Amino acid sequence: MRIALILSLLASTAQAQTCGGDVGGFIDGVKAEATAMGIPASTADSFFQGAQIDPAVIRADRAQGVFQKDFLSFSRALISQNRIDNGRIYGQRHDSTFDEIERRFGIPRGVLLAFWAFETDYGQVQGSFNTRNALLTLAHDCRRPELFRPQLVAAIELYRRGGMNPATTTGAWAGEIGQLQKLPREIVEKGLDGDGDGVVNLKDSAADALMTGANVLSSLGWRANEPWLQEITVPDDLDWSLTGLNNKASVSDWAARGVRARAGDLGPGNLPAAVLLPMGRNGPAFLAYPNFDVYFDWNKSFVYVTTAAYFGTRLEGAAIYNAGNPSAALSGEQMQQLQQKLTARGHDVGGIDGILGAKTRDAVQAEQIRLGLPADAWPTAELLNRL
C-alpha cells in the first residue's frame, strides 16, 4: 500500500509544479510534498543537507547542440568500431543476464547493448554531477519543472530506501543514475535486482542495470519477440506522402508497394509498420515496427532514437546502412528559419531550436504535400526558399 500511495502521489504532482523563486523556500515546498506522501520529515531534511543549485547543470541543459546533427552525422559520431567490438565483449560477459532478459521480456540483447553503449560506454562513463543537486537545479528552473520536480521527490524516496546517497551519488547532468542512466522515479517503480544480492544497484551492477532497463522497456509497451527496425529498399516511384511514423500500414501492404528488406525477409505480414526516411528519399530507409515507438519513451530525440534503434540491429548482425546520396542538411540557423516559417503557417514544431525532431518533420511533410514537392519529410534549401 505504501508504494502504491507514493506512486499515485508522484503521478498527481506531475502537473502544475511550482518553480523558481527563493531556493530555500522552494526546498521547503518539496519537503512538505515529500512528507505529505509519508516520507519522514527527518529523511527529507537529511536529503537536502548541503544541497545547492549547480550552474553547470543549467549550462548543460541549454547546450544540447549535438541533437542538431542529421542522422548520418549523428550515427557516425556515436557508432564506432570500438563500441561494436565492446558490444560483443560485454554481450558475452553478461550472457546469462541477457538470456534471462530475452526469456522474461522478449527483448533482444542488441537493444539494451545499444542503450548501454550510448548512455555510459558500457558503464565506464556514468557522469560526475551530484544527482541531488542536478535534480534540485532542474526542478527549481522553470523550463521543465513538470518533469524534474516529481523526480526530485522520487529521489528522496530512493534515499529513504538506501538506493542513493544525496551527498555522494553522481550521474548525468539531468539526474540520471547508473549504467543505463535511469531517473529516480524509474528506479523506484521499475528497479530490479538482476544479480540476486537483494539490492538494486544500477551504478555498480550491470545485471541490475540491464534487468531494470528491460523492465522499463517492457512497461512502456515493448512487444516481446517482435522486430523494432529493419533496413529496407524502396521503389523510386513510392508515394512519399505515405512515409513517416504517423503513416502506418501492414507489412504486407508495404511489400505490395514494392518495399523489400535489404537483407533477409520483412517482418510478419500482419504487423503494422511505417517507412522511415531519416535523410529523405535519397538516404537510408527503414521499416519501423511497433517496438520502435517505445524508444521515444526512453528518449525524445528523433535522431538519438533512430540511431539507438539502428545500432541495436547492428549489434544483432545487421549490415552497415546504405547511406545513399541525400540532399545536404540545413544548417542550424537555416533550420531555425524553417521552423519559424512553419510556425507562422500554424504548425506545431515543438519550439524554434534548430533540431529536426518528429514534430518538425511532420510539418515539413505537410508543406511538401501542399507545395507539390516530394513529401519525404526531409527539409531542403528549396523548401525553405519556397516557404
Side-chain angles (χ1 to χ4, degrees), residues 92-386:
Q92 293 171 357
R93 185 176 298 173
H94 299 280
D95 189 60
S96 61
T97 298
F98 284 115
D99 282 348
E100 176 62 15
I101 286 171
E102 292 187 41
R103 183 196 67 78
R104 183 170 173 181
F105 298 104
I107 301 173
R109 63 185 60 199
V111 172
L112 286 163
L113 280 167
F115 282 128
W116 197 10
F118 288 176
E119 298 291 351
T120 65
D121 264 327
Y122 305 103
Q124 303 308 302
V125 185
Q126 297 188 33
S128 57
F129 288 86
N130 178 276
T131 298
R132 176 202 55 200
N133 291 346
L135 291 170
L136 170 61
T137 301
L138 293 168
H140 180 263
D141 182 49
C142 288
R143 193 166 88 86
R144 292 178 292 172
E146 73 286 348
L147 170 61
F148 288 105
R149 180 161 174 152
Q151 296 294 347
L152 181 59
V153 177
I156 304 173
E157 170 62 16
L158 189 61
Y159 166 55
R160 186 193 68 79
R161 298 184 183 189
M164 70 171 287
N165 183 324
T168 62
T169 295
T170 56
W173 64 263
E176 299 102 336
I177 301 170
Q179 299 190 34
L180 284 182
Q181 299 285 269
K182 306 317 296 173
L183 285 164
R185 186 172 178 180
E186 290 178 307
I187 301 172
V188 168
E189 295 183 16
K190 305 299 177 185
L192 292 181
D193 173 18
D195 56 19
D197 67 354
V199 178
V200 176
N201 181 353
L202 304 192
K203 288 182 69 70
D204 302 313
S205 170
D208 289 5
L210 292 167
M211 196 66 72
T212 296
N215 196 30
V216 169
L217 287 173
S218 180
S219 71
L220 293 173
W222 188 275
R223 294 163 57 149
N225 304 311
E226 288 188 8
W228 62 99
L229 193 72
Q230 180 180 26
E231 190 177 6
I232 55 174
T233 61
V234 295
D236 293 337
D237 61 352
L238 185 69
D239 182 350
W240 305 113
S241 68
L242 299 177
T243 65
L245 296 179
N246 293 329
N247 299 310
K248 290 182 171 61
S250 71
V251 171
S252 295
D253 286 341
W254 286 120
R257 293 174 181 142
V259 170
R260 299 290 182 266
R262 186 169 174 228
D265 299 320
L266 294 175
N270 62 341
L271 275 185
V275 169
L276 178 63
L277 306 172
M279 301 287 292
R281 67 194 186 281
N282 296 317
F286 301 97
L287 206 58
Y289 295 98
N291 280 332
F292 182 77
D293 296 334
V294 176
Y295 277 78
F296 285 98
D297 289 312
W298 185 290
N299 190 295
K300 300 301 182 185
S301 166
F302 176 90
V303 69
Y304 176 95
V305 161
T306 307
T307 300
Y310 161 70
F311 189 38
T313 69
R314 285 290 308 280
L315 292 169
E316 288 285 320
I320 298 173
Y321 53 57
N322 178 9
N325 187 29
S327 301
L330 298 182
S331 67
E333 182 180 353
Q334 288 176 314
M335 189 65 71
Q336 289 185 352
Q337 293 173 359
L338 176 68
Q339 290 174 323
Q340 289 169 347
K341 292 176 182 291
L342 293 169
T343 300
R345 295 197 65 85
H347 296 286
D348 176 13
V349 299
I352 311 300
D353 55 11
I355 297 173
L356 181 58
K359 289 184 176 181
T360 299
R361 293 179 68 92
D362 290 343
V364 165
Q365 188 172 44
E367 287 301 305
Q368 288 172 328
I369 293 171
R370 183 182 68 83
L371 294 169
L373 298 171
D376 59 2
W378 178 242
T380 61
E382 179 185 5
L383 173 64
L384 179 60
N385 293 334
R386 290 282 296 272

